[in-house]
Amino acid sequence: MTRPGILAALALALPAGAAAQNVAEVQVAPPSVNIRVGERTSLLATAFDRIGNVIPTVRIIWSSNNIGIAKVDNNGTVTGVANGVAIIEGRVGARRGQAAIQVTGGSSPAPPPAAPAAAAPPPAGAGAASAGVDLLAGQPPGTGPAAALRLEPGMVYLLPSENTRVSPRALRDDGSPAAPVQVTWTSLRTDVASVDQSGNVVALAPGQGTIQVTAAGGLTATAPVVVQQAEFSVREGTQLAMSPGELDTLHVVVTTQNGRSVNPLTLQWGSTDQSVARVSLAGVVTAVGPGKTTLVVSGLLQNKNVEVSVHQVVDKLSVRPRLAAEVQVPLTGTAKFEAQALTAANVPVPEAPLRWSVADTAIATFNPVTGILTGRAVGKTQLTARGPGSALAVTWNVGVIAGSPRFTQPRVGIGVNQRHTLRANYTDSLGTVLGPAGNLTWSSDNPQVAAVGEDGTVLGAGYGHARVSAIAPGGKSAVADVYVVGEIVVASSRAGPGKFQLYSAERSNLAQFTKLSSDTGSASDPTFSSDGSRIAFVSHRDGNAEIYSMNADGTGATRVTTDPLTDGRPVFTPDGQTIVFHSSRTAGKQQIWSVNVDGTGLTQLTRDSVNASPSVSPDGQTIAYISTRNKDGDIWLMGKDGSNQRPFTRSPQQRESEPRFLRDGSLAYLLERREGNRTVQQVMRADLATGNVTAMTGIDLAISSFAVSPSGDVVALVVNAEPQNRRNPTFKVYIQPVSSATPVPLPTTGAEQMITPTFRP
């Protein structure tokens, strides 16, 4: 019987010599054929590379060892000539495959020449080889007499009805190849597997058998043959994405049999839509056009499907960052890269495969899943993204530099036992941020004040100042100033009557005070910068009230304003670069002003009536203040530059003062009103968006000023301890949780008074 439908061998343009350099194996199928005299059949020769991929662009050289029995043309078409057996060979360079052709139905040709005298006849009882069969087929060249035989593979796994080729190896005493010997093949379990005299083994039924090969001199080798039903699978999976015109090779394997490959020529291949993709008898898939199809591989009593998706034709790549002279990445830092496949009409093709590569992975590595490139060593390399087709590629020049770390917050104020994580970016020589800094080495010059962990988290250990350093690979470093200060800062006269100085305390220990200022005059009205590292305050050390700024530990005091008239009530903007305050420098009437912390950029923000007590919103866009322009004390709002001035409260029957923005953007203020025959003061909290107002304190204290903790849970109240004595009041500071009606006074001694409290951010 002939095998119908076998295609002619693949024979394309490359020269045989060039292709042979890549060919590792040639297989001819079917391995054995029976035909009659005058009948024709086609053989298929397939070339494989060393990892099992089909090489379609090769030219096969066909030959017959006995053209008197069967002849073959350049396309692999075999014609039966006379009774007997001929070996048809398909060759590419030094690699060759063979098929045995049994021809019947005609007269026998003349007997072949006698074997050379030196050649031994086949062993008796082993079964003579069919006439014309090359008994040396499949044996590698060697020299010298054989001392042993070996079969390759040494163990054969097959599915029922599957076939494979086993090759003998003649070996010398030292294990090197000997001269090929004539061999005879025998199956010791003909019910399990058969073997012909070319070493072709056919699985007949499940079980374990043995094939044996013998040669002159009693040389024998055997190989177990295990025939068992098992599932095969496609190694490349059940989903395949391809580009138009792309080739890929599918491999069928039996996982439970050590992952061995199944000869694709023993299977049948087909595609449900050949306009999308087609598949050859050797499992070579060719993507034809956009769409989806199903490839079906069947045989050996099994069927498997592979879903193939062929995407649209990709014309170009869109990439980020844009291609420039060089993308700089800091050592151990990262940079994000993106590439997108587009059609000619700029339609994204997300399913198109992209291949990424780094020229020198010692300099940088790239994760194609996240698109993140990481600098590994100082130097230069290239990152390339390739799309479908050899012409679609973009390349970035990448320079990994020893970037300098720079803190996002180089100054910070924290409390004892409070933690804060310092973060840094890498920057180039121009200060341009390159990305988050990593792999830094951290240290503190004063761990008794601030200790730092391996991740840059600082712990306040004691009051004072510490410098925390972050050193990058390569030696460049950055330093952050950390100030550890008490939670509550007040002005106290414990240094002497009328001579107020600044002190800090913790709510957990209100009796333990730490002095911050050593003013030659009097200091009051403290306020923290948003990072907690600076305190602005009012000092009389130069003869009149001016605004000063100092570090949170009381060091480094510098004068900000200079004017003969009174300046007061300073407050920082959120960026810490500007101070907003009130001053009577304009014809003796208080107005709202702003000034840079270095004393430059003095700007008047209000100009009519009397305006005082400014407070800046957390986003820095709004200033709340007290104005008497309606002949009553009301809260007004305006933009940070003084624009859009507008009233927030209009209450002629009551008086509002002391506005304080809270961290959530709400506004606290002091409300004074008449109740019966007495005047009461109460701290209120207003939602600017809705106008809803809630009380934060009761009405039983004579409150003249207050401060609120950043979380809004505690208020510090300035109270006249002798409310009946308005001419010579005695001021105390009380700490009161908002949810409690029990205020706790800060301890005082003798005639000591306390005023102008503030909370650390």
Side-chain angles (χ1 to χ4, degrees):
M1 294 291 293
T2 61
R3 180 178 177 179
I6 299 295
L7 298 181
L10 299 173
L12 299 177
L14 285 183
Q21 296 177 4
N22 300 318
V23 175
E25 182 181 2
V26 176
Q27 293 183 3
V28 175
S32 61
V33 177
N34 293 329
I35 62 174
R36 298 180 65 83
V37 173
E39 190 175 9
R40 293 185 177 186
T41 188
S42 293
L43 298 179
L44 176 66
T46 307
F48 297 87
D49 65 15
R50 62 183 179 84
I51 60 174
N53 290 316
V54 172
I55 305 174
T57 53
V58 295
R59 186 172 67 216
I60 306 296
I61 305 300
W62 292 95
S63 63
S64 170
N65 75 331
N66 193 337
I67 59 175
I69 299 295
K71 59 183 179 180
V72 63
D73 65 15
N74 290 336
N75 296 318
T77 301
V78 179
T79 303
V81 177
N83 285 347
V85 176
I87 301 300
I88 303 298
E89 181 178 270
R91 178 173 59 84
V92 179
R95 307 297 182 183
R96 61 194 66 199
Q98 296 177 337
I101 308 299
Q102 177 75 53
V103 183
T104 60
S107 60
S108 299
S130 300
V133 175
D134 183 2
L135 301 180
L136 304 181
Q139 300 186 46
T143 60
L149 286 179
R150 185 181 68 198
L151 292 180
E152 290 185 0
M155 186 168 187
V156 179
Y157 287 96
L158 292 172
L159 304 177
S161 78
E162 188 181 3
N163 64 80
T164 191
R165 178 81 175 270
V166 179
S167 300
R169 298 288 186 264
L171 304 175
R172 301 174 61 174
D173 286 329
D174 60 1
S176 62
V181 297
Q182 292 185 349
V183 297
T184 300
W185 295 87
T186 305
S187 171
L188 303 184
R189 284 287 305 273
T190 56
D191 59 324
V192 174
S194 66
V195 62
D196 65 15
Q197 295 308 307
S198 295
N200 294 307
V201 181
V202 178
L204 301 176
Q208 182 166 332
T210 303
I211 56 171
Q212 177 179 277
V213 64
T214 58
L219 299 180
T220 302
T222 61
V225 178
V226 178
V227 180
Q228 58 183 196
Q229 187 62 46
E231 286 288 322
F232 66 62
S233 61
V234 178
R235 189 172 69 193
E236 287 68 28
T238 59
Q239 303 286 335
L240 194 63
M242 302 183 69
S243 305
E246 183 182 1
L247 296 178
D248 202 351
T249 302
L250 300 182
H251 301 85
V252 175
V253 297
V254 183
T255 304
T256 58
Q257 295 179 355
N258 298 324
R260 70 173 182 87
S261 297
V262 176
N263 186 339
L265 302 175
T266 64
L267 304 167
Q268 291 79 51
W269 303 80
S271 169
T272 59
D273 190 344
Q274 296 200 34
S275 67
V276 176
R278 58 178 181 264
V279 60
S280 75
L281 293 178
V284 179
V285 183
T286 302
V288 179
K292 294 184 178 181
T293 185
T294 301
L295 302 183
V296 181
V297 54
S298 59
L300 305 175
L301 306 178
Q302 299 181 52
N303 292 285
K304 291 293 182 289
N305 292 341
V306 177
E307 303 300 326
V308 177
S309 175
V310 180
H311 61 72
Q312 299 180 70
V313 176
V314 176
D315 182 72
K316 52 193 169 184
L317 297 178
S318 172
V319 300
R320 291 183 181 179
R322 293 182 177 181
L323 297 178
E326 184 175 89
V327 178
Q328 290 190 331
V329 181
L331 183 64
T332 74
T334 60
K336 175 79 171 179
F337 291 82
E338 297 177 351
Q340 184 181 44
L342 302 174
T343 67
N346 292 323
V347 176
V349 188
E351 65 272 24
L354 300 178
R355 303 184 308 277
W356 296 84
S357 61
V358 176
D360 189 345
T361 55
I363 300 297
T365 57
F366 182 77
N367 185 330
V369 176
T370 62
I372 298 297
L373 181 139
T374 303
R376 296 300 184 193
V378 175
K380 297 182 183 296
T381 186
Q382 290 182 322
L383 172 67
T384 299
R386 292 183 174 85
S390 58
L392 284 175
V394 293
T395 298
W396 291 269
N397 293 316
V398 176
V400 178
I401 64 173
S404 299
R406 186 172 69 183
F407 284 113
T408 58
Q409 191 176 358
R411 296 172 57 93
V412 64
I414 61 176
V416 175
N417 296 322
Q418 183 180 358
R419 297 178 184 273
H420 178 85
T421 299
L422 295 172
R423 305 191 185 280
N425 290 318
Y426 279 123
T427 62
D428 61 18
S429 58
L430 299 178
T432 304
V433 174
L434 301 174
N439 198 23
L440 299 172
T441 301
W442 297 86
S443 64
S444 171
D445 71 345
N446 196 349
Q448 290 76 24
V449 170
V452 62
E454 294 181 356
D455 63 346
T457 298
V458 178
L459 172 65
Y463 294 146
H465 170 228
R467 293 167 60 85
V468 174
S469 299
I471 304 175
K476 295 188 177 181
S477 63
V479 176
D481 290 293
V482 179
Y483 298 92
V484 181
V485 65
E487 178 186 12
I488 305 166
V489 175
V490 299
S492 169
S493 65
R494 64 176 52 190
K499 189 177 181 180
F500 286 92
Q501 298 293 306
L502 302 182
Y503 296 83
S504 70
E506 305 288 345
R507 75 171 78 175
S508 60
N509 187 2
L510 297 177
Q512 184 66 45
F513 269 61
T514 300
K515 189 175 183 181
L516 294 179
S517 65
S518 297
D519 209 295
T520 56
S522 182
S524 63
D525 289 331
T527 182
F528 278 95
S529 60
S530 61
D531 61 13
S533 71
R534 288 188 176 92
I535 296 176
F537 62 101
V538 175
S539 174
H540 293 77
R541 69 181 66 182
D542 295 314
N544 62 308
E546 302 286 1
I547 308 298
Y548 282 75
S549 175
M550 67 179 179
N551 296 322
D553 64 347
T555 63
T558 59
R559 186 171 178 173
V560 179
T561 64
T562 302
D563 193 90
L565 296 178
T566 300
D567 298 331
R569 295 302 299 270
V571 59
F572 282 99
T573 56
D575 61 8
Q577 302 302 309
T578 304
I579 296 174
V580 180
F581 64 101
H582 67 218
S583 174
S584 59
R585 64 183 65 194
T586 307
K589 289 186 176 181
Q590 284 185 336
Q591 299 295 335
I592 308 300
W593 297 72
S594 68
V595 64
N596 296 331
V597 292
D598 62 0
T600 64
L602 182 67
T603 303
Q604 186 175 351
L605 301 179
T606 62
R607 297 182 180 278
D608 64 337
S609 187
V610 174
N611 304 283
S613 303
S615 180
V616 182
S617 64
D619 62 6
Q621 300 302 307
T622 304
I623 298 174
Y625 60 101
I626 298 299
S627 178
T628 60
R629 63 188 68 183
N630 289 333
K631 309 302 181 183
D632 188 20
D634 284 313
I635 296 175
W636 282 60
L637 305 175
M638 64 179 172
K640 63 181 180 180
D641 58 356
S643 61
N644 191 24
Q645 298 183 13
R646 60 207 183 272
F648 177 67
T649 62
R650 293 183 179 180
S651 48
Q653 304 304 320
Q654 54 192 25
R655 179 175 178 270
E656 293 86 13
S657 63
E658 303 289 321
R660 302 279 191 273
F661 271 110
L662 305 186
R663 189 163 56 189
D664 63 0
S666 60
L667 186 68
Y669 58 91
L670 184 61
L671 177 65
E672 181 178 309
R673 66 181 184 274
R674 295 289 298 177
E675 284 196 2
N677 60 356
R678 69 173 183 149
T679 299
V680 298
Q681 293 85 23
Q682 190 173 22
V683 178
M684 311 299 290
R685 184 174 188 170
D687 186 320
L688 294 188
T690 65
N692 293 334
V693 177
T694 57
M696 299 185 74
T697 65
I699 59 174
D700 53 341
L701 295 176
I703 304 171
S704 63
S705 185
F706 72 96
V708 184
S709 65
S711 61
D713 63 329
V714 171
V715 292
L717 306 174
V718 180
V719 175
N720 183 0
E722 300 176 1
Q724 71 282 0
N725 185 359
R726 288 178 172 266
R727 176 170 295 183
N728 295 300
T730 300
F731 290 111
K732 306 284 186 181
V733 172
Y734 289 78
I735 304 300
Q736 178 181 354
V738 171
S739 59
S740 171
T742 306
V744 178
L746 293 181
T748 58
T749 59
E752 178 184 4
Q753 297 194 61
M754 293 184 183
I755 57 173
T756 61
T758 191
F759 284 88
R760 186 189 66 242

